[in-house]
Structure formats: C-alpha cells, structure tokens
Amino acid sequence: MADDIIIDEELDGLEDEEQQLFEHFRMEVDKGQESVRIDKYLSEHLQHSSRNRIQKAADAGSIRVNDKPVKSNYKVRPGDVITLMLDQPRHDTTIQPEEIPLDVVYEDDQLMVIDKPAGLVVHPGVGNFHGTLVNAIAWHLRNLPSYDPNDPEVGLVHRIDKDTSGLLVVAKTPEAKSDLGLQFFNKTTHRSYNALVWANFVEDEGRIEGNIARDPKDRLRMTVLPPDSELGKPAVTHYRVMERFGYVTLVECILETGRTHQIRAHMRHIGHPLFGDERYGGMEILRGERSSTYKAYIQNCFKLCPRQALHARTLGFVHPVTKQQMDFTSPWPSDMEQLIAKWRAFIKGTTADTFR
C-alpha cells in the first residue's frame, strides 16, 4: 500500500544504468487529476514520506513517469504512470507467526481480547518488521486454518501506541471484524483510558475538541488544530479527574473518536502533557519545586515508568454473534501502579500550601 512507503533520505547512484533497481511504488494518475507538481502530488499519496525526501528522490533519478526519470517540478498529467525505483528490494511485509507471549483475557471462535504490555509494537512497520503483536497473534492462531494473518478482513479491529498498555480486540472471522468495525465507526463501543498528566486541573471534568493532524515540523508527532479547520480529522476527548497529586493528576479519558495519538496530543494541547511522554514534552519537569531532592524524585519516577503513563483500562462492545454486551477491565501494569503509589506517598508528605 502507498501509505507503507518510506523514501530513504540517502539516495545515491540510482541513475547508474548498471545498477539494478527495484520497484517500490506504482500508481496511475486519475483521469480527472489537475496539473500539479509531482513532489506535491506524491507527498499527498505517500503518507510517511515528506516532500523534501520526495524531492531528493527525484534529484537522484528514482522517481519515474512512464519509465523516464523526472525532476520534482514535473507536472503530473491524467494517465501518467508513476513509479519509485530504489537500489534495494522492498522489505517483505508478509506477517509470519512468532512465538511471543500473549496475555489473552478472553477468547472464543469469533474473537479474542488481549491485554497488551507497554513496549510491544502492534503492527509491523519501518524499524519494526518483526516481534510485533500481530506476529504474536499469528503464532497463537497458527493452528486455526481459517485465520490468515495477512488477510485484512481478519485481525486487529483497532490499535494503541507501542508504549501504551491495555486492551485490544481481535476478530477471527471477516464477519466478526465487519461487525466490530461498524461498532467502532458508529461509536457504540465503550473505551476508557487512565493517564497520569502534568499539572493540576481547576475543573473536575472537561471536554477537548480539536482536529488531529500530522505535525509538519515532526512527522512522528500529531498536532491539534481548531475544530472548524479544514485540515486534520475531527477529534473529541472527554476527561474526568480521578486523583490529584498537586503537580500531576490521574485522569480518566473517554474517546468519542479514535485518532492517532489523540489523548497524547489533546492533553498537550490544553497544557497537560502525559507524564513521561517524551515525544509530547512530558519527559521534562513541568511542575514542582526547584530543589535537587524534588528533581531526583522526578527522575526516579521517570525510571520507574519509562514511557507515557497511559493505559487502555476498559473495553466494551456487543458480541458480533451472541449480541451480548461484553465488558473488560485491565488492571494497571506494574510500572503505572508503582508510579501512582509513589505519587500517593509523595502527596502524603506535603501540605496544601505546597501547591499554591
């Protein structure tokens, strides 16, 4: 798929006729396409490749139109066949079963619910072609003839980030995936997350609304735009304060939508980055004292839970066959449990005036 293509920053020697080239991407321009520069056109069709990388690829002669190299200012025309030729073959993205431990909290002939540990990548991608959750699922279901891990009509119904822990549902049949997918689309599922975030909240609950889009300055991070913006995808997060620790707060988050990094981006947007979330600024000391003792305490907290403190706590849906309500709750993993216990102990040793 086009979204899986990443153009390498280092492209040299690709115009050498004696060098073997491999096709990584091919597409035909739609009949109704207006004239536009090919670097702009491809940046819109190759999600994970920046316009700068595409321009470098064109300069190296690796972008071709109708089998001829073109520069980045080439204007695409309806019917053009665009190919990307690189000096190494594409990585084999076929999902292979791998013996990786799984915490299966429920399973029947239609679906399974998994409690994913932090640090486990959900799906193969650049830098993580092996050792992922779907490889583990393929191994777990290796003796089920009807389950093909490479068939998009079965498998994971939704995803969570690598360093987020918690519940996920997997469909074993196309019918189950279609039914569950429709429930997620219609927002009839019930999901809640627990997060430890920086700073205290004035209110006990609230609603965050803002479109989620990829940050042009950092393509591994998402940014929040006004709800009426034509950019990004609409996103709504509801939150409720569970416990206050003065400099940080434990909150429950319920999603109306399921955008990439939604909770992480939304919380940063309102000034409450997730504790330990390096990508969104939560790995810095954002609240608290200037003493060396406090700084050492926070560093110990980071070591105790070296990731964003975010856990997919509950998951609820209607079973696709029995039509019964299914509800699951995942306990905090040990790193978050110890982190919260450490803050509880901290708050007991302070006075109310400390946080004013």
Side-chain angles (χ1 to χ4, degrees), residues 37-320:
R37 284 174 57 114
I38 196 168
D39 55 348
K40 182 177 186 299
Y41 180 81
L42 287 178
S43 68
E44 295 171 350
H45 288 79
L46 300 177
Q47 181 180 346
H48 299 296
S49 292
S50 67
R51 192 166 179 177
N52 180 257
R53 287 185 176 185
I54 291 168
Q55 290 169 349
K56 288 185 177 182
D59 291 341
S62 60
I63 294 179
R64 302 187 176 190
V65 174
N66 305 325
D67 294 326
K68 295 181 179 179
V70 297
K71 296 301 181 183
S72 55
N73 62 353
Y74 173 84
K75 299 290 186 68
V76 300
R77 302 181 180 90
D80 277 350
V81 176
I82 303 172
T83 54
L84 171 65
M85 308 296 293
L86 300 177
D87 59 351
Q88 293 188 8
R90 284 195 68 178
H91 196 287
D92 182 8
T93 57
T94 303
I95 296 168
Q96 301 294 339
E98 296 180 32
E99 191 172 4
I100 301 168
L102 274 182
D103 183 0
V104 179
V105 299
Y106 175 83
E107 183 173 10
D108 60 27
D109 60 352
Q110 295 294 315
L111 58 89
M112 56 195 291
V113 176
I114 295 170
D115 198 344
K116 186 189 85 70
L120 181 62
V121 176
V122 169
H123 198 278
V126 175
N128 297 285
F129 289 109
H130 303 285
T132 73
L133 180 63
V134 295
N135 295 114
I137 294 169
W139 176 269
H140 183 81
L141 300 177
R142 65 192 183 282
N143 296 322
L144 184 63
S146 61
Y147 186 84
D148 179 0
N150 294 286
D151 183 357
E153 293 189 349
V154 295
L156 285 166
V157 181
H158 59 120
R159 303 182 186 188
I160 56 179
D161 296 335
K162 171 188 173 183
D163 289 325
T164 299
S165 54
L167 297 169
L168 289 162
V169 62
V170 177
K172 292 185 177 181
T173 68
E175 294 76 19
K177 187 164 185 181
S178 177
D179 186 285
L180 289 166
L182 194 60
Q183 291 184 52
F184 276 85
F185 178 79
N186 290 331
K187 305 172 186 175
T188 58
T189 58
H190 305 286
R191 286 184 292 165
S192 72
Y193 292 74
N194 287 175
L196 188 70
V197 303
W198 278 104
N200 200 5
F201 284 81
V202 174
E203 61 286 338
D204 290 330
E205 58 185 30
R207 180 179 187 272
I208 311 168
E209 183 175 3
N211 289 11
I212 301 285
R214 196 164 295 278
D215 190 334
K217 297 179 181 178
D218 182 351
R219 293 180 64 79
L220 297 178
R221 185 173 65 189
M222 308 304 286
T223 190
V224 180
L225 302 168
D228 57 355
S229 173
E230 296 181 358
L231 301 174
K233 296 180 179 180
V236 176
T237 303
H238 300 268
Y239 65 87
R240 177 182 65 85
V241 171
M242 298 173 64
E243 204 165 346
R244 298 175 186 271
F245 304 116
Y247 301 135
V248 297
T249 307
L250 180 64
V251 296
E252 177 188 52
C253 296
I254 297 176
L255 306 182
E256 272 193 30
T257 52
R259 309 304 182 198
T260 301
H261 295 186
Q262 179 171 323
I263 293 174
R264 299 166 68 187
H266 267 175
M267 282 295 168
R268 178 179 183 269
H269 179 65
I270 64 169
H272 295 277
L274 269 62
F275 190 86
D277 191 347
E278 185 173 11
R279 183 147 313 272
Y280 288 88
M283 203 69 173
E284 303 172 19
I285 301 178
L286 301 179
R287 292 290 189 280
E289 307 159 17
R290 296 182 179 180
S291 68
S292 58
T293 302
Y294 178 75
K295 290 178 180 178
Y297 166 78
I298 295 296
Q299 291 304 320
N300 286 334
C301 287
F302 287 151
K303 291 177 183 177
L304 198 61
C305 185
R307 53 138 177 152
Q308 67 258 13
L310 181 62
H311 180 63
R313 174 86 166 173
T314 68
L315 173 63
F317 54 84
V318 174
H319 193 282

